[in-house]
Amino acid sequence: MDRRGVSEFRQLGNKVERPDSPEVAELETFDNPSPGDLYLVRFSCPEFTSLCPVTDQPDFAHLVIDYVPRKKLVESKSLKLYLAAFRDHGVFHEACTMMIAKRLIAEMSPEWLRIAGHWYPRGGIPIDVFYQTGVPPEGIWVPDTGVPSYRGRG
């Protein structure tokens, strides 16, 4: 196992408390191990939670984050802790999805990024939020998110 660069992570391999908010959460990155290749990285987060900023009731989503890295990739434990920081954070679905996308773009400067926020219904209406930075690079395979359109999503 190649462990180069592991010591520079502050969260991976250590007991770390969930950050108090997304703004203070630290997203750690590492160098792309295959910078000459075009490939896609996917994170699927089926149990994402945040709070409604008006009612303080929990909101649930299945997030799918796809990106084509340039020089940096995001370390998965730091991403997990960043996403968990939304658990007590009041934010509307649209703003939440865009906050995550913009933060990842700022930290990594990926070639391309797409986020699909499949939000579970509130008041009987699911609100799904989708964003991508542009057209995917030519030649990249972008699989379907695998999350069905709402029909009692589960």
Side-chain angles (χ1 to χ4, degrees):
M1 178 174 149
D2 184 0
R3 298 184 55 84
R4 287 177 292 163
V6 171
S7 64
E8 57 194 62
F9 292 125
R10 288 181 289 286
Q11 298 174 88
L12 181 62
N14 295 306
K15 182 173 172 50
V16 180
E17 297 295 321
R18 178 170 50 96
D20 290 332
S21 73
E23 292 83 6
V24 300
E26 181 179 8
L27 274 174
E28 295 184 302
T29 62
F30 61 97
D31 291 338
N32 184 348
S34 194
D37 295 318
L38 189 64
Y39 63 98
L40 183 122
V41 176
R42 169 170 287 173
F43 290 103
S44 186
C45 311
E47 298 176 346
F48 179 84
T49 59
S50 63
L51 293 178
C52 173
V54 177
T55 66
D56 276 341
Q57 293 295 308
D59 286 322
F60 302 90
H62 184 156
L63 300 180
V64 179
I65 301 165
D66 292 323
Y67 72 96
V68 175
R70 280 194 177 122
K71 294 181 180 179
K72 297 286 183 186
L73 287 93
V74 67
E75 191 280 313
S76 61
K77 181 174 182 179
S78 73
L79 178 63
K80 177 184 80 169
L81 290 166
Y82 169 66
L83 295 176
F86 282 90
R87 187 169 296 148
D88 296 323
H89 187 73
V91 62
F92 288 116
H93 302 334
E94 299 86 349
C96 183
T97 306
M98 292 305 297
M99 268 179 78
I100 294 166
K102 299 289 183 173
R103 178 76 186 271
L104 288 168
I105 292 165
E107 298 289 341
M108 293 186 300
S109 297
E111 177 79 23
W112 177 80
L113 180 135
R114 170 179 80 173
I115 185 170
H118 299 275
W119 292 86
Y120 289 79
R122 289 294 241 99
I125 301 174
I127 300 171
D128 293 339
V129 182
F130 306 99
Y131 174 77
Q132 69 181 26
T133 58
V135 178
E138 188 175 330
I140 194 72
W141 176 47
V142 182
D144 182 83
T145 64
V147 180
S149 295
Y150 184 74
R151 286 197 180 121
R153 188 180 291 141

